[in-house]
Amino acid sequence: MSKQDVRFIELSARDRAKGLLDAGSYRELLEPFDFVMSPWLEPQGIVPQADDGMVVAQGTINGRRSVVVAIEGVFQGGSMGEISGAKMAAALDLAAEDCANGKITQAVLCLETGGVRLQEANLGLAAIADIHAAIVNLRRYVPVIGIVAGTVGCFGGMSIAAALCSRLIVTREARLGLNGPQVIEQEAGIAEYDSRDRPFIWSMTGGEARARNGFVDYLAEDSLQDIRSAVIDFIEKGRPESLRCERYDEFLNRLVSFDTSKQVNADMVTELFAEGA
């Protein structure tokens, strides 16, 4: 597959992984024909997917040993269940084990997910917690690079996984937030957050807004070539000296000073986090 002028958003999870890895180096672990799938969906009348919507691939990126884990957003909204979560967590744990043994392995996560799979509830939550721990463990050795491209976005517990990444790449079409628009509208009311107001949603949680407010490291074009180049650049730079998630005291102090009696808008968010970069 040529990496020239290919829209990243239009690629499946498997093609994203193949596109990020060097040509000819792709090797998938627990591929669909291994039939490692969720046992919980079929009893609930949901057709399972043979890879449970999670692609784990080994190979090289710019000649460096790498693992790419990509979530298939079109399967159950990229939701995380017991099997899919275990696949991602195990891949990161094995990469950390390799790094500890001198086999330095880079990690890239393609995050298109609404968070926990409701049909698997606590099993999904436990899996996401394992992913968080695995990211923190691996980033001691190498930068863990996250990518959120669209159109599902990255929400719920997996938005915390994105925040834990050493580097985060987004496109303008991406969305990143702890709670999805429909969840906020359901809990706080349409006057607070209208999930059908697309310009408003993207002005708050879209990739461009997140980049402007310092919550991501690179705003990419919707291009496989551009995203891959950014990944290579971050791999070459190595682990950052500091991480956003380590600045929680600073961010909490800003949130405490925010006037929640007023309807929030994009300008207020930018003012609040203007120095977030």
Side-chain angles (χ1 to χ4, degrees):
M1 178 177 57
S2 171
K3 303 185 194 305
Q4 302 289 333
D5 299 323
V6 175
R7 293 197 64 193
F8 196 81
I9 288 177
E10 295 179 351
L11 297 176
S12 67
R14 190 160 283 103
D15 284 338
R16 289 180 181 187
K18 288 179 180 178
L20 291 169
L21 292 166
D22 295 338
S25 71
Y26 178 95
R27 181 170 72 90
E28 188 168 342
L29 308 179
L30 293 181
E31 63 182 2
F33 289 108
D34 289 318
F35 294 105
V36 179
M37 64 181 76
S38 171
W40 308 108
L41 297 181
E42 191 171 9
Q44 299 180 67
I46 299 171
V47 178
Q49 187 160 298
D51 58 10
D52 204 37
M54 183 70 69
V55 175
V56 179
Q58 278 187 322
T60 59
I61 297 178
N62 203 30
R64 293 178 181 261
R65 179 184 173 98
S66 304
V67 60
V68 178
V69 187
I71 302 172
E72 184 56 78
V74 299
F75 177 66
Q76 293 294 305
S79 57
M80 305 296 294
E82 179 185 25
I83 300 301
S84 59
K87 288 173 71 173
M88 178 177 282
L92 295 171
D93 283 339
L94 289 172
E97 184 177 319
D98 282 345
C99 288
N101 292 326
K103 298 179 180 179
I104 302 302
T105 303
Q106 312 296 321
V108 181
L109 309 180
C110 297
L111 304 170
E112 298 295 334
T113 169
V116 68
R117 185 177 296 164
L118 297 181
Q119 295 87 353
E120 301 192 35
N122 290 342
L123 294 171
L125 288 171
I128 290 176
D130 288 341
I131 290 168
H132 294 168
I135 291 172
V136 171
N137 183 35
L138 178 57
R139 73 184 188 193
R140 296 182 299 156
Y141 303 102
V142 293
V144 178
I145 301 168
I147 302 169
V148 185
T151 55
V152 174
C154 184
F155 295 101
M158 290 306 290
S159 71
I160 300 175
L164 290 172
C165 288
S166 312
R167 306 283 190 179
L168 194 56
I169 300 167
V170 300
T171 66
R172 290 183 68 251
E173 293 82 359
R175 292 174 298 156
L176 175 64
L178 184 58
N179 290 314
Q182 290 178 317
V183 174
I184 299 175
E185 180 185 302
Q186 175 182 300
E187 297 301 319
I190 194 170
E192 176 69 21
Y193 212 78
D194 185 351
S195 63
R196 295 168 297 180
D197 188 344
R198 295 172 64 86
F200 174 73
I201 299 302
W202 262 264
S203 75
M204 299 288 288
T205 61
E208 192 170 25
R210 291 311 194 190
R212 182 174 62 249
N213 296 323
F215 290 110
V216 302
D217 300 284
Y218 183 70
L219 179 63
E221 296 294 327
D222 178 19
S223 156
L224 173 59
Q225 182 181 21
D226 190 33
I227 290 174
R228 186 173 189 272
S229 294
V231 168
I232 292 172
D233 182 53
F234 285 140
I235 288 174
E236 294 299 323
K237 287 180 178 178
R239 294 185 300 124
E241 293 183 3
S242 62
L243 299 166
R244 274 182 297 273
C245 62
E246 296 172 341
R247 296 165 52 201
Y248 50 86
D249 281 338
E250 173 190 341
F251 289 122
L252 285 172
N253 286 334
R254 295 187 188 201
L255 289 172
V256 167
S257 67
F258 185 72
D259 185 359
T260 58
S261 66
K262 300 178 181 178
Q263 172 63 48
V264 68
N265 58 47
D267 291 337
M268 293 168 65
V269 174
T270 298
E271 182 180 354
L272 180 64
F273 294 110
E275 298 174 1

